[in-house]
Every structure is written in structure tokens, then in C-alpha cells.
Amino acid sequence: MSTMILLLASFTLVQAFGQETEPNDTFAEANTISLDQAVSGDLNLEDNGDVFDNFEIVLPENGDLTVELTLHQNFGVYIRIFDKTGLPLTSQFGSSGTF
């Protein structure tokens, strides 16, 4: 099995099937989520300095991972995906959509 950490920043997700648990600002604090699980996350730089949300997902095999985001404000999002050792695999900046 492969473990990947998904780092999401400067965003708020809206289609909530699960709510993030704070703190999840570091790899060690990452919320574990399942494949095909929607999750809602909030960032609040102005009030508490929360600029990162980390999620961990265990993939059953190597392959493609698709991340779909819906933003309810006009933020940019920076997505970084890491392998189980913490090495970056890919990153992308954009807004709502599929990455």
C-alpha cells in the first residue's frame, strides 16, 4: 500500500460529507480520509493563522489520484501531493476544478 499526504492551502471546500479536525496544519496532524470521501475544510489566516490543511489518504495501489475542489469564495488553491516519506510528487495552483 502507498500512503500519500495531500496538502491543501488557501481554500474552503463546501460539499461536506466530513468536517476536518483541527489542528491539521502539519503532516503529523493530517486528517485521515478515504477514497471518494468529500471533506469540508476551512482556513482562517486573519483570525488564527490557519493557512494549511493536511489530509492523508492510503491508496490500495499505485495509479492516478484525482482531487476535485469546490470553493465558495474566490480563492486560489495550492495543492501538493507527497509520497509516504514526505517527498513531493506533484503540485498545482488553481481555483475550483479537478486536479
Side-chain angles (χ1 to χ4, degrees), residues 4-83:
M4 300 180 115
I5 304 255
L6 172 63
L7 172 65
L8 305 172
S10 300
F11 74 100
T12 303
L13 296 171
V14 292
Q15 183 183 1
F17 292 17
Q19 177 66 39
E20 69 168 324
T21 302
E22 292 288 353
N24 64 337
D25 301 330
T26 67
F27 287 164
E29 299 169 327
N31 291 181
T32 301
I33 59 173
S34 302
L35 283 174
D36 298 323
Q37 177 184 359
V39 64
S40 176
D42 294 303
L43 296 174
N44 193 340
L45 176 61
E46 293 165 357
D47 290 343
N48 61 17
D50 183 15
V51 295
F52 297 107
D53 281 340
N54 288 278
F55 300 91
E56 178 179 32
I57 187 167
V58 177
L59 302 175
E61 59 189 43
N62 290 334
D64 294 334
L65 176 67
T66 301
V67 177
E68 188 173 322
L69 297 175
T70 304
L71 307 176
H72 69 88
Q73 292 188 14
N74 190 22
F75 286 116
V77 63
Y78 185 59
I79 298 173
R80 296 190 300 175
I81 299 177
F82 300 83
D83 69 11

Side-chain angles (χ1 to χ4, degrees), residues 78-97:
Y78 185 59
I79 298 173
R80 296 190 300 175
I81 299 177
F82 300 83
D83 69 11
K84 63 184 175 183
T85 67
L87 294 175
L89 297 175
T90 188
S91 62
Q92 186 170 351
F93 182 82
S95 58
S96 293

